[in-house]
Amino acid sequence: MIPFSILDLSPIAEGSDAATSFQRSLDLAQHGERWGYNRFWLAEHHGMPGIASAATAVLIGHVAAGTSRIRVGAGGIMLPNHSPLVIAEQFGTLEALHPGRIDLGLGRAPGSDHTTARALRRNLASDADEFPQDVVELMDYFAGSTRRPVQAVPGAGLDVPVWILGSSLFGAQLAAHLGLPYAFASHFAPQMMMQAIDMYRSNFRPSEQLDKPYIMLGFNVFAADTDEEAHFLATSMQQAFVNLRTGRPTKLKPPVSGYLEALDLPERMMLDSVLSCSAIGSRVTVAHQLRAFIEKTKPDELMITSQIYDHAARLRAYEITADIQRAG
């Protein structure tokens, strides 16, 4: 079977705090390394009470220092929030500390609301419109290009694989044009997944980094020893999405029996849409759903995310998923 990787938001559970989330992220990465996962990525979000991975590069360093083989990276850095030179220096530093293990995924969304985005960059211009130019500038810093008046130190000359992240056709077009690997956010925005896959593969141009298309798809897994337990565990993520979409973001809440049945029809329909790329159930059920998704989309890699309230149950979900991947 294709490689599986882990996407972590370092969730802050209700009744817990960020420090505990960081300990659990490292513990998950260490288990993931032993179970054979290919990468461990962390995502940049800001102003979210249930997500602790805002200082993404710092947390990547924490995880990389506590592991030895698994690739560690950003899935992703929201480039409009930052100077490309600063990101080149940060990830150049990470690569110098952990050679051959650092990935840099780049997105053009702010990873926050507009007010928070303005506080981050303090620039009222539409920085997202400059995303393609910022990506090229960042890659130039890693290459040590003479087109730039300054050098990234550290950064210049280091091999930090750059990925484009996206949930629309824009990212697919850019990744194909630049010859970069592409990660699609199907785990929460699956609506344009098949069109994006086709556009990326059809328009891909080989580059120094990559000679043929490479696509990774996000996929939610809620695995447990029984189907009933898995559906119960999944209600924490379902609550998080409903609360976020209704303007009430919270810490990750404990699972609730009968949660879906208590929702209004519009909320049920929203969850059916945003979480359509998910597997929920026992090992047998999840294995069937994973294989069906892979057969349909034919990705080169899956990025598994599992937002489960209880840490031990979350580890168990990733362990079951790793067992399925090894079984082929």
Side-chain angles (χ1 to χ4, degrees):
M1 192 177 283
I2 61 174
F4 285 6
S5 292
I6 295 173
L7 175 64
D8 183 30
L9 304 182
S10 202
I12 305 175
E14 189 173 273
S16 187
D17 55 24
T20 302
S21 297
F22 300 148
Q23 294 169 3
R24 290 173 174 173
S25 288
L26 177 56
D27 187 52
L28 174 59
Q30 291 168 338
H31 278 85
E33 184 170 73
R34 291 196 293 272
W35 292 330
Y37 283 94
N38 192 35
R39 326 172 188 271
F40 187 93
W41 278 10
L42 292 142
E44 177 186 352
H45 290 274
H46 300 279
M48 303 289 288
I51 298 176
S53 54
T56 316
V58 177
L59 193 51
I60 289 170
H62 170 64
V63 170
T67 52
S68 59
R69 297 183 308 279
I70 194 168
R71 297 193 65 88
V72 186
I77 292 295
M78 301 297 107
L79 197 51
N81 295 338
H82 310 281
S83 155
L85 175 60
V86 169
I87 298 304
E89 292 171 341
Q90 288 179 359
F91 280 79
T93 299
L94 289 167
E95 174 62 23
L97 288 168
H98 310 285
R101 296 180 54 214
I102 301 300
D103 295 328
L104 175 54
L106 300 172
R108 71 178 182 129
S112 62
D113 58 73
H114 291 298
T115 302
T116 305
R118 190 174 297 112
L120 284 165
R121 193 74 182 261
R122 302 186 185 279
N123 188 340
L124 298 180
S126 183
D127 293 308
D129 294 339
E130 300 174 5
F131 180 66
Q133 294 88 343
D134 284 349
V135 172
V136 171
E137 180 181 342
L138 177 52
M139 294 172 64
D140 280 349
Y141 288 130
F142 287 131
S145 173
T146 56
R147 293 190 297 174
R148 302 297 165 187
V150 298
Q151 295 287 299
V153 182
L158 295 181
D159 181 17
V160 180
V162 172
W163 293 65
I164 299 298
L165 279 58
S167 58
S168 69
L169 301 184
F170 181 91
Q173 290 175 311
L174 181 61
H177 177 75
L178 296 177
L180 298 176
Y182 181 50
F184 188 83
S186 36
H187 59 294
F188 74 90
Q191 290 77 15
M192 304 185 76
M193 176 181 67
M194 297 308 296
Q195 301 98 304
I197 292 171
D198 181 66
M199 175 170 286
Y200 172 67
R201 288 178 171 152
S202 299
N203 295 284
F204 182 83
R205 299 180 182 180
S207 67
E208 290 185 9
Q209 180 173 329
L210 200 61
D211 61 356
K212 61 182 181 180
Y214 193 96
I215 189 162
M216 180 161 57
L217 300 178
F219 194 78
N220 300 287
V221 173
F222 303 93
D225 293 328
T226 67
D227 288 351
E228 183 181 23
E229 181 187 1
H231 280 278
F232 175 67
L233 295 174
T235 62
S236 293
M237 180 64 160
Q238 292 160 356
Q239 291 176 77
F241 263 108
V242 169
N243 291 340
L244 178 64
R245 294 298 177 93
T246 54
R248 300 176 289 112
T250 61
K251 292 184 175 182
L252 190 65
K253 289 185 171 294
V256 176
S257 296
Y259 178 72
L260 284 179
E261 292 74 14
L263 291 177
D264 295 335
L265 180 60
E267 294 171 333
R268 285 287 302 270
M269 292 176 64
M270 181 272 290
L271 286 178
D272 287 344
S273 175
V274 300
L275 297 179
S276 62
C277 294
S278 302
I280 306 176
S282 65
R283 177 193 169 108
V284 172
T285 302
V286 168
H288 174 75
Q289 293 170 339
L290 275 167
R291 292 186 183 112
F293 181 76
I294 292 170
E295 177 61 27
K296 174 185 176 182
T297 59
K298 296 178 171 56
D300 298 290
E301 189 169 340
L302 281 189
M303 179 62 76
I304 306 296
T305 185
S306 187
Q307 294 284 83
I308 291 175
Y309 176 83
D310 179 75
H311 183 60
R314 189 173 185 230
L315 291 177
R316 179 62 179 148
Y318 277 109
E319 183 180 21
I320 292 170
T321 307
D323 288 344
I324 293 168
Q325 191 274 337
R326 285 193 297 270

